[in-house]
Amino acid sequence: STLDNPKIAVVMLGSADFWTRIAGEAPPHASFVQDATTVLQREQIRVAEITTAVETLEYADSYGHPSKAARLELAALLMATFEELTQLRLQPDAPSTSMTDAVENSASA
């Protein structure tokens, strides 16, 4: 593999069900988030899933753009997620993990 796994991290925002509700239509590949997460974890790439917090943000439109008020909240959430992913990178034996609840809880603290 040509991937430099320790340098790669992926953040999944929301769930397929959530984005279906926002867009008002089912995506052509509803299993994308789960399929991608499975592949990334198999390749030992760090994955964070932010669902609850993303789903409670205020959105400006059906394209998924956060409202101006929600942008600061989203920025803080993403910063906490990236910090958590960085800490995992510094742990050489850290497993690939989904950090949905842990990251969301630390971002709101």
Side-chain angles (χ1 to χ4, degrees):
S1 174
T2 59
L3 297 176
D4 193 357
N5 297 8
K7 293 182 180 179
I8 300 172
V10 175
V11 178
M12 298 287 194
L13 301 176
S15 66
D17 291 339
F18 169 70
W19 292 112
T20 296
R21 286 192 307 272
I22 288 283
E25 61 183 315
H29 304 289
S31 65
F32 171 78
V33 171
Q34 183 57 48
D35 295 345
T37 300
T38 299
V39 169
L40 292 165
Q41 288 176 338
R42 184 177 59 230
E43 294 296 321
Q44 298 180 332
I45 294 173
R46 291 162 295 140
V47 178
E49 296 177 42
I50 305 173
T51 53
T52 305
V54 168
E55 293 177 9
T56 59
L57 291 174
E58 177 185 2
Y59 289 88
D61 55 35
S62 64
Y63 296 108
H65 298 111
S67 69
K68 286 184 180 182
R71 290 178 191 166
L72 290 176
E73 186 179 344
L74 180 58
L77 180 63
L78 289 170
M79 287 299 298
T81 302
F82 296 137
E83 287 173 5
E84 189 73 24
L85 286 167
T86 300
Q87 290 303 313
L88 283 176
R89 179 176 175 227
L90 297 176
Q91 300 170 13
D93 296 328
S96 179
T97 184
S98 169
M99 301 181 301
T100 305
D101 295 324
V103 171
E104 290 177 11
N105 291 337
S106 68
S108 61

